[in-house]
Amino acid sequence: MSFEIGTDADPQHWHEMTDAAGGNRMNALRAAVLGANDGIVSTAGIVMGVAGATSDRTALLIAGVAGLVAGAMSMGTGEYVSVSTQRDSEKSILRLEAEELEAMPETEERELAKMYEEKGLDAELAERVAAQLTAHDALGAHADIEFGIDPNDLTNPWHAAWASMISFTLGAMLPLLCVVLVPASVRIVVTVLAVVLALALTGFVSARLSLSPRLRAILRNVIGGLLSMGVTYLIGSLVGIGIG
């Protein structure tokens, strides 16, 4: 992905051309893209595997719905637990840092000045900056430069959990509806094409969010999804033959 870079005569900042957002919003977007992608791939794998063993519409529906519900709950719970752990860690770090600031404020201010000096400020300027930041918001200054944490914008587990659960459900609906509603004669072809298009879309969105090359992300998504469907369909076919 390329952006227009300005000059001193015509200033342009690449980040102003993006949809850059705060930490919590980006975290929810990440969870949503991951959830949608996982919903598409995992549910497509399930229904394709069952379709390889049987053409019975009821069996396909039951397997698809079970996979959708289980996957959505798993994604939501997993995101909540993961982000909650991160939030707990951030809160513990802030608590310990606050205790240090209370117990040895002068030492902490010298430490802050030293860190700014290591970043390139001369010693005198680093001391003035540290003094001003300490007077304004000592905890915020230390949390930012030492740990990259914003005390006023801690990660929210509920945002990620709901985004992941809802997006997984929406993503899973595509292969499920295709394999259940489409006539058996073209069921596999239509499902594969629909999944490829959906994975291309999620690959494009993930590339846009991460500011990475779009084609690479799309190909990675599509190839992974095709491999997953192919393997599960083959295994389902072999199981169906064995049972039959």
Side-chain angles (χ1 to χ4, degrees):
M1 180 178 293
S2 61
F3 294 96
E4 193 72 27
I5 305 298
T7 64
D8 285 333
D10 181 24
Q12 295 183 48
H13 300 286
W14 63 267
H15 51 81
E16 293 177 352
M17 305 174 209
T18 70
D19 296 324
N24 270 311
R25 184 182 169 195
M26 286 301 296
N27 191 46
L29 287 172
R30 175 201 57 79
V33 173
L34 177 62
N37 198 68
D38 198 26
I40 295 167
V41 174
S42 63
T43 305
I46 290 172
V47 296
M48 289 293 283
V50 177
T54 179
S55 60
D56 182 67
R57 200 180 299 270
T58 301
L60 290 169
L61 179 62
I62 292 172
V65 170
L68 184 155
V69 174
M73 295 301 296
S74 176
M75 288 294 292
T77 302
E79 283 290 341
Y80 180 81
V81 170
S82 174
V83 178
S84 290
T85 300
Q86 179 182 343
R87 183 183 178 90
D88 290 343
S89 176
E90 292 172 346
K91 292 170 72 173
S92 295
I93 288 171
L94 291 174
R95 176 179 55 79
L96 291 170
E97 197 64 26
E99 290 177 1
E100 282 192 347
L101 285 167
E102 183 176 356
M104 45 184 184
E106 294 181 3
T107 301
E108 286 294 292
E109 185 174 325
R110 287 195 298 269
E111 178 189 43
L112 188 62
K114 182 66 176 177
M115 285 186 283
Y116 279 111
E117 189 176 344
E118 291 173 352
K119 285 186 173 292
L121 299 183
D122 62 62
E124 183 180 349
L125 179 57
E127 289 176 3
R128 292 207 308 270
V129 169
Q132 290 184 28
L133 289 175
T134 298
H136 175 67
D137 182 6
L139 180 59
H142 280 268
D144 177 46
I145 194 170
E146 289 189 59
F147 310 105
I149 297 175
D150 181 355
N152 299 314
D153 188 29
L154 298 182
T155 51
N156 189 320
W158 286 109
H159 291 172
W162 281 112
S164 181
M165 185 182 298
I166 293 171
S167 63
F168 182 98
T169 301
L170 294 176
M173 289 296 293
L174 176 66
L176 176 59
L177 291 176
C178 284
V179 82
V180 170
L181 299 180
V182 173
S185 59
V186 293
R187 177 179 294 157
I188 302 301
V189 174
V190 170
T191 302
V192 169
L193 290 176
V195 167
V196 166
L197 291 174
L199 289 176
L201 177 60
T202 57
F204 173 84
V205 173
S206 66
R208 184 172 179 81
L209 289 176
S210 61
L211 308 181
S212 59
R214 297 172 183 174
L215 181 59
R216 184 186 306 165
I218 291 172
L219 288 176
R220 187 168 53 219
N221 247 20
V222 170
I223 292 172
L226 288 174
L227 181 62
S228 173
M229 288 188 293
V231 170
T232 53
Y233 182 78
L234 176 61
I235 293 174
S237 299
L238 293 175
V239 171
I241 292 173
I243 293 175

